[in-house]
Amino acid sequence: MPTPTVESATRGDASALADAIRSGVLSASEAMEAALSAAAANAALGAICHLDEARGREAASALDAERADSPGHFSARPFGGVPSLAKDLGGPFAGFPVRAGSRMLDGMLDPARDSTLAARFRQAGFALFGLTTSPEFGLSLASEPARGPICRNPLDPSRTAGGSSGGAAAAVAAGIVAIAHATDAGGSIRVPAA
């Protein structure tokens, strides 16, 4: 059986990627660099409305250090080192602005603390590096916020990705990340998944 490469390891699902990081096939930092590279290559899709490369690299580096210094604690994290994105609706996630797709919230909500959801994502080991596009306040089934960007379908960029978790769905479908935060009340992830 051939030895997995960074590229092949990052193309699997989130569980396979976590296994590859846990077993040392690749580091969390290598997985993060692959995700950041994919984000740059797919920037025109508009799946990511807020990208924080430095925060992502810092999270991955801290998880690599934990894997080396405290392997038992690290291996208890089901998604240790897996790069991921949070939805710009819900949360909040400390260090990432809350805009909910609206210009009205610019500069208003910059959380200093994680919500319970965000804390659980971090406890699970996700290395977060940005926010995905959603419609303004989640009030549409199309991820086309007035503040931008419009989220395009990676399979047909002439179409949008749906919503309200269109950015999350597009980021996964485009191979930017293996898993992303999404929500659903009235079809918010079911519509983009379809």
Side-chain angles (χ1 to χ4, degrees):
M1 177 178 263
T3 304
T5 64
V6 171
E7 184 176 312
S8 67
T10 57
R11 289 186 184 251
D13 65 22
S15 296
L17 181 53
D19 288 344
I21 295 168
R22 191 176 299 108
S23 66
V25 170
L26 75 161
S27 67
S29 294
E30 289 170 318
M32 180 58 69
E33 290 305 321
L36 292 172
S37 177
N42 290 285
L45 286 177
I48 300 173
C49 65
H50 177 81
L51 180 68
D52 191 332
E53 294 182 11
R55 190 170 299 280
R57 287 183 175 115
E58 180 181 307
S61 179
L63 287 160
D64 282 335
E66 180 182 288
R67 182 179 176 274
D69 299 338
S70 185
H73 189 261
F74 181 82
S75 57
R77 297 179 187 273
F79 296 102
V82 173
S84 191
L85 298 161
K87 183 177 177 180
D88 182 28
L89 194 61
F93 291 76
F96 293 99
V98 176
R99 300 294 178 263
S102 178
R103 289 185 196 117
M104 283 192 338
L105 298 181
D106 283 350
M108 292 178 65
L109 298 173
D110 288 326
R113 292 186 349 189
D114 277 337
S115 62
T116 300
L117 172 71
R120 289 184 180 177
F121 271 51
R122 294 187 207 277
Q123 288 166 0
F126 288 114
L128 298 163
F129 67 97
L131 300 172
T132 58
T133 303
S134 65
E136 188 168 15
F137 301 116
L139 297 175
S140 170
L141 287 177
S143 294
E144 303 176 19
R147 77 180 321 278
I150 291 174
C151 183
R152 303 284 175 193
N153 184 325
L155 304 178
D156 182 355
S158 70
R159 300 177 181 270
T160 66
S164 69
S165 298
V172 172
I176 297 169
V177 290
I179 190 170
H181 168 221
T183 58
D184 198 313
S188 296
I189 191 57
R190 288 171 285 164
V191 169

